[in-house]
Amino acid sequence: MKISTLLLTLAFCLPCLVSPAQQPLAEAPIPAVSPKEAEAAEELFQAGRNLFFQGKYLEAAEKLQKAVAGNPAKTSYKLLLAKAHRYGQQPEKAIAVFEAILRENGSHVEAGIELAELLDPLKESDRVIGVLEPLLKYKHDYPLYHLLAQANYQKENFEKAQHYYEEATRLNDQNADDHYQLGNIYLAQQRFAKAAVAYERAGDLGVSTGVYHFKLASVYFNLHNYLGAVHAAQIIGGQTGQIKNELYLLDPVPGQKDFFYVCPPQSAVYQTAKAQQLGVDVFDIRFLEANIWLSARRYARANPMYAELEEEVSKANAGLFWYYWAQAALGMDDLEQYLVRLDKAIAADPEVYKPTKADALVTVAERHQQQGDTAKHSEYLQQAVAVTPLSARLHLMLGDAHWIASERRQAVEQYKLVLELEPQHADRVRLLNRIREAS
């Protein structure tokens, strides 16, 4: 044979020289069975089925294994065999059979769901997703979306988890866990209105843990629903701050025995109290409670709560803590403590709170003006200007304060600085007139 002919022959034969280990494995064809073999397999299947529904799962599995061997083409035999292994506490055998079913029939939704439940989306998230996602094109069914939601939530694929939970709750509105987890996703996204709806539905379906009520309290707080629809109600033997008859007792109604102003469950204060009642007693919830009273302008109730938390504040929370406590002092008209606490917030987090100092000084100045103390009004405006010397607005305020106090020279000095900073200031004509008048 010529060399060229030999090379050509070898080239065409190269595929047959690949070792069996390198070639892809194909599913062995299912052998045909005779009518007699099929009949015998059916008898074994029925016997196994009877044992299965008697709860004799391991005995059923023996019969069903023989039925499958007798007629391998019957998927129904394999499905019941897998279930017998599953209920008979033989998970690995069940998994193997479910996987075999799916290899033979990739659209078998029931086998996929059974397999995913057995694998557990909280333990085998990737495998569950791999099993179930291809089945979505065959069936729009609640268990598929529920299991996929759980698996993706476990993997922190929150965008996908949200989609699957939303679809799951549309298909089945009665699973409290679906609504609760959907609420968690919305809360993390700061979509507070949606979180409230999801959490409320979870509560309707029986969810009531300390953590749940804490989360719902934070949702209501961010929706500015601090006290809810306050109304009067008769509560025999009630006390302020107590939850009774599913109401939070806010204050006694003056002159009416056993009557209280009350807050409903749809309020941040109720949910905070409920969480504490159920054992949640951490810094975060007590800080939230103080912030609720502050935001509801109940400064006298907020102030002592902040005082109790002072020793527990972490470095990460210090800036926010001192800023809020400063607002409580301002609400109580304790202007000195307002500025002291604000300075502590600035020291803890200067980047965030230092820009608030000038406005705080203006606020204090205006409070003194309202009290008729013009000297302190000017003093605090001067401090504000010192903090933010390039603010034309502050120089103008200080100039006007001096003008009202008949301190014309000081007023003109400030007006000139305003025009130096902003030559075309909106009050330019008024300021020029005053400067001329004082000359």
Side-chain angles (χ1 to χ4, degrees), residues 365 373-383 398 401-402 405 407:
D373 192 336
T374 56
K376 283 195 175 292
H377 177 228
S378 295
E379 176 189 338
Y380 282 103
L381 285 177
Q382 286 172 346
Q383 291 184 36
L398 180 55
H402 284 310
E407 297 167 343

Side-chain angles (χ1 to χ4, degrees), residues 349-362:
D349 196 344
E351 186 176 344
V352 173
Y353 297 106
K354 191 174 182 180
T356 69
K357 183 62 181 287
D359 283 339
L361 290 165
V362 170

